[in-house]
Amino acid sequence: MSYTSVYIYKYEIFFNILKNIVDFLTNIYYNIIINIKKIMIYNKIKLHVYFLFLIRKRGKVMTEDVGKKIKELRTNKNLTLKELSAKTNLSIGFLSQLERGLTAVAIDSLNNIAKALDVNLSYFINESNHNKKIILRSYEKEVFQVENNQFIHYHLTNDIENKNLLPRLIEILPTSSKEPLTSYQHEGEEFVYVLEGILTLLINNEQQELFPGDSAHYDSNLVHNWANYTSKTVKLLTVHTPNMFKKETKE
């Protein structure tokens, strides 16, 4: 065997050994990455489930408190469920479940109930404290309302009862269904700014997708609604006027 042949033979052996080492390390690397991803997904699922448990528990307590107040006001005014239903355009069955704390209610519907019972919307809101500071820290935000186990509302002010604007942070959880949106309208105007995710905005029967950094500003008397048709949570900043929770000043 010539010197050149021996050199090539040794080179091939060295190359094969090096290749095996690289393949071995590559397999270890990918196994580590896969396991890390599995752990991250598992922890994310655990956190998401725990978060849903907390907001549903909070929402149940809030619903029970609101239901008790509605029933108390209705009975004090000697109103039947049928009469309250006629005043609010809400079904008797829905009002009955609401009074027993078995269902949640949207803010617009609660506002109609408040008007029918001659109280301000703020009557149904439990004040956690009397803090009227100008600044609201991020860690001080509390869940205000959980609607349909999907829309999570946070108020971004310490003085909601005395201000003209209603600033809120709203998180819309993913939904597996893509049901048609039911539009609604009311007085005032709205500003929406998307922080995270893709928001589906239906306005004037036209459907638009808003991405992070996109905003919309419109009169609330235009038929409109929002939805999250993606697999990730949507976060948006909204500012409404008039503020439904503002207390009426007595002259």
Side-chain angles (χ1 to χ4, degrees):
M1 181 179 292
S2 66
Y3 176 79
T4 303
S5 299
V6 173
Y7 179 80
I8 294 174
Y9 177 72
K10 290 182 179 180
Y11 177 79
E12 288 178 348
I13 294 176
F14 173 77
F15 179 78
N16 288 331
I17 294 174
L18 184 61
K19 182 178 180 296
N20 290 334
I21 293 174
V22 171
D23 290 341
F24 176 73
L25 293 177
T26 301
N27 288 332
I28 292 178
Y29 170 78
Y30 280 116
N31 285 330
I32 291 174
I33 294 298
I34 290 172
N35 288 329
I36 290 175
K37 286 183 177 180
K38 286 181 179 179
I39 293 171
M40 290 175 66
I41 292 172
Y42 176 70
N43 288 335
K44 187 176 181 180
I45 291 173
K46 285 202 304 181
L47 287 172
H48 186 66
V49 171
Y50 180 62
F51 178 65
L52 283 176
F53 168 76
L54 288 179
I55 62 176
R56 286 175 181 172
K57 182 178 179 181
R58 169 72 182 251
K60 186 173 186 296
V61 173
M62 291 168 60
T63 300
E64 289 176 350
D65 291 340
V66 169
K68 289 178 182 178
K69 290 181 178 180
I70 291 173
K71 185 173 183 178
E72 182 180 355
L73 282 172
R74 180 179 63 78
T75 53
N76 287 342
K77 291 180 176 294
N78 295 318
L79 286 175
T80 64
L81 282 173
K82 184 177 180 179
E83 291 171 329
L84 184 58
S85 173
K87 286 176 174 286
T88 60
N89 291 321
L90 299 171
S91 70
I92 296 175
F94 173 79
L95 291 172
S96 175
Q97 288 188 333
L98 181 59
E99 288 188 348
R100 289 178 290 159
L102 300 179
T103 187
V105 59
I107 290 298
D108 292 337
S109 297
L110 186 58
N111 192 38
N112 290 337
I113 295 172
K115 290 178 180 178
L117 296 174
D118 298 320
V119 295
N120 190 272
L121 182 59
S122 60
Y123 174 83
F124 296 109
I125 310 305
N126 290 326
E127 293 186 71
S128 58
N129 54 58
H130 297 282
N131 173 23
K132 302 299 181 185
K133 293 187 300 184
I134 293 176
I135 296 175
L136 175 67
R137 300 294 181 185
S138 59
Y139 53 82
E140 295 175 327
K141 288 197 308 291
E142 294 184 356
V143 175
F144 167 73
Q145 182 195 28
V146 181
E147 185 181 343
N148 298 329
N149 286 330
Q150 187 185 14
F151 295 83
I152 309 167
H153 298 252
Y154 303 83
H155 285 169
L156 299 180
T157 175
N158 285 317
D159 195 11
I160 191 174
E161 298 173 347
N162 299 300
K163 302 300 181 186
N164 293 321
L165 299 178
L166 174 59
R168 291 186 292 182
L169 172 67
I170 299 178
E171 297 181 357
I172 309 177
L173 300 181
T175 177
S176 56
S177 62
K178 195 171 182 179
E179 298 178 359
L181 288 176
T182 302
S183 300
Y184 61 96
Q185 57 189 145
H186 51 86
E187 63 174 329
E189 60 183 281
E190 299 180 19
F191 172 79
V192 179
Y193 181 85
V194 180
L195 299 169
E196 294 181 19
I198 303 173
L199 175 71
T200 298
L201 172 65
L202 182 67
I203 186 163
N204 260 358
N205 297 319
E206 291 186 7
Q207 186 169 302
Q208 303 282 348
E209 288 187 341
L210 275 64
F211 298 86
D214 290 347
S215 60
H217 189 190
Y218 49 88
D219 293 327
S220 302
N221 58 10
L222 299 175
V223 288
H224 61 281
N225 205 344
W226 311 322
N228 176 9
Y229 289 145
T230 71
S231 60
K232 296 182 179 180
T233 299
V234 172
K235 294 183 181 180
L236 54 145
L237 170 68
T238 71
V239 181
H240 290 70
T241 181
N243 176 8
M244 297 181 293
F245 301 98
K246 185 178 180 180
K247 286 186 175 179
E248 298 178 357
T249 56
K250 297 181 179 180
E251 297 181 359

